[in-house]
Amino acid sequence: MNIVLLGAPGAGKGTQAAKLVESRGLAHISTGDILREAVKNQTELGVKAKGYMDAGELVPDDLIVDLMKERMEQPDTSEGVILDGFPRTTTQAVALDSMLSELERPLNAALLIDVDAEVIVARLTSRRMCRACGHICSVSDGQTCPKCAGEMYQRDDDNEETVRNRLDVFDKSTAPLIDYYQGQDLLVRIDGDRDPGVVFADVEAALGF
Ligand code: AP5
Ligand code: MG
């Protein structure tokens, strides 16, 4: 099963993807996580991407499509993938359609996790991530990871000014994908402003689990 998780920054894509990995064992591909790793390791991709990410702008489509073509050919994708943060533009969505068609795999659903912008600003300015295992939580959860006791940190793009720009970029560049997937009869809207477990029950129901 191949799934696109659509949603504004902070809507809960990573949170719901982690639950799907745990319950269904699908491969989780987050372009944001791949890019942050590339920035950390100062690879050629990371050096090119850093300025865009720090400003809350999108990394250019050609870089993203190249990295996704390579990633989708890895063996762990054969049983299905959860795409988190990709596609983010119509160009990327068209590229994904052709990648999947070359691999002879269907896209089963595009789940839109819907959350109001002001709720998102509050969530993202208080989000913390684990350096060791990537676990996502909030500043109120303390300074060490509740899963692995690793060090928690705040993402460079989780300050209010950058969050607001990321929301504008979502409206301008990514929101058109809602119509794109509605047109393919793949879109399911999920109210993301509820307890994460309640949201997940809807995610599973939407996927027929
Ligand atoms: P990326 O890493 O994808 O960031 P994003 O889309 O901005 O989304 P986030 O990861 O911030 O939010 P999320 O929806 O995963 O929410 P989460 O579950 O963490 O991209 C970062 C940057 O990389 C981009 O700005 C761009 O520069 C670049 N990039 C990446 N992909 C790209 C692409 N395809 N093309 C071009 N550029 C690309 O939850 C957020 C917080 O809310 C957490 O604290 C969590 O605990 C909390 N929370 C989650 N669910 C709930 C709930 N139901 N109730 C209450 N709190 C909740
Ligand atoms: Mg995320």
Side-chain angles (χ1 to χ4, degrees):
M1 172 166 280
N2 301 295
I3 305 154
V4 166
L5 287 182
L6 262 184
K13 302 180 296 294
T15 300
Q16 295 301 320
K19 290 182 181 296
L20 273 172
V21 168
E22 207 172 313
S23 75
R24 304 288 156 188
L26 300 172
H28 173 205
I29 303 179
S30 156
T31 40
D33 288 348
I34 294 170
L35 290 168
R36 277 184 289 280
E37 193 61 22
V39 169
K40 191 173 90 187
N41 296 326
Q42 299 184 336
T43 66
E44 197 183 330
L45 171 67
V47 170
K48 286 182 185 158
K50 186 176 184 336
Y52 297 101
M53 296 174 77
D54 285 349
E57 296 291 330
L58 294 183
V59 174
D61 284 333
D62 55 338
L63 294 177
I64 299 292
V65 169
D66 284 352
L67 95 76
M68 281 304 296
K69 273 189 187 150
E70 208 178 303
R71 184 64 186 88
M72 288 294 286
E73 281 167 9
Q74 302 301 310
D76 67 327
T77 64
S78 61
E79 295 299 312
V81 290
I82 307 158
L83 298 174
D84 162 4
F86 174 86
R88 256 174 148 102
T89 62
T90 306
T91 302
Q92 292 181 19
V94 171
L96 173 64
D97 285 346
S98 76
M99 278 176 226
L100 288 170
S101 124
E102 261 174 46
L103 293 163
E104 298 185 356
R105 296 178 197 161
L107 182 62
N108 301 91
L111 307 185
L112 173 66
I113 307 176
D114 217 358
V115 179
D116 181 76
E118 289 311 312
V119 174
I120 281 175
V121 173
R123 275 188 191 182
L124 287 186
T125 49
S126 61
R127 173 170 59 185
R128 295 295 181 271
M129 312 269 299
C130 176
R131 269 194 211 287
C133 75
H135 181 62
I136 304 165
C137 57
S138 158
V139 66
S140 58
D141 293 312
Q143 289 179 349
T144 51
C145 175
K147 270 203 157 165
C148 77
E151 182 201 351
M152 303 304 285
Y153 78 102
Q154 182 171 33
R155 269 172 48 176
D156 290 343
D157 57 352
D158 277 349
N159 61 80
E160 182 168 346
E161 188 189 345
T162 311
V163 167
R164 290 197 184 276
N165 190 43
R166 286 159 62 198
L167 287 167
D168 287 346
V169 169
F170 175 82
D171 287 342
K172 196 170 104 231
S173 303
T174 309
L177 297 187
I178 298 170
D179 281 349
Y180 184 88
Y181 287 118
Q182 209 144 30
Q184 294 189 5
D185 210 14
L186 291 174
L187 191 86
V188 181
R189 272 177 201 271
I190 292 174
D191 175 3
D193 193 7
R194 296 169 297 160
D195 179 84
V198 177
V199 176
F200 186 59
D202 276 7
V203 166
E204 292 233 289
L207 299 175
F209 293 141

